[in-house]
Amino acid sequence: MPLLVITPLTFLGGSFYSIDMLPPIWRQITLFNPVVYLISGFRWSFYGHSDVGVGLSLSMTLMFMALCLGAIWWVFRTGWKLKA
């Protein structure tokens, strides 16, 4: 599962190129990728330049983390798809 999900998100998230190089429609589509905000934050911390604003990158990263933690909490609370 990680190979099928995380690898394409990483390649399409601007890890090897700047998303500013994309046509406008693809840039808008790419902004729905959570990996873009992680990579942009790392790029800013190393080079001082990022594709999206640092505040937006930090807030989106925290939002995606909260969503994932909420989903994990829900799975453990309800026991959905867990062995008995």
Side-chain angles (χ1 to χ4, degrees):
M1 188 65 170
L3 183 67
L4 294 174
V5 175
I6 295 175
T7 303
L9 287 177
T10 302
F11 287 137
L12 297 173
S15 58
F16 300 112
Y17 56 88
S18 174
I19 63 170
D20 292 333
M21 296 170 55
L22 295 172
I25 187 70
W26 286 107
R27 187 175 195 282
Q28 292 298 324
I29 292 170
T30 303
L31 292 177
F32 289 103
N33 184 354
V35 177
V36 167
Y37 301 102
L38 292 171
I39 291 171
S40 184
F42 278 121
R43 188 173 285 155
W44 177 79
S45 67
F46 289 131
Y47 302 119
H49 173 75
S50 64
D51 293 329
V52 294
V54 177
L56 178 63
S57 178
L58 182 62
S59 63
M60 292 298 284
T61 300
L62 292 174
M63 185 191 73
F64 286 124
M65 185 180 73
L67 284 172
C68 290
L69 288 175
I72 291 169
W73 174 82
W74 180 78
V75 167
F76 282 134
R77 175 105 170 129
T78 62
W80 182 70
K81 297 277 186 173
L82 296 177
K83 291 185 178 184

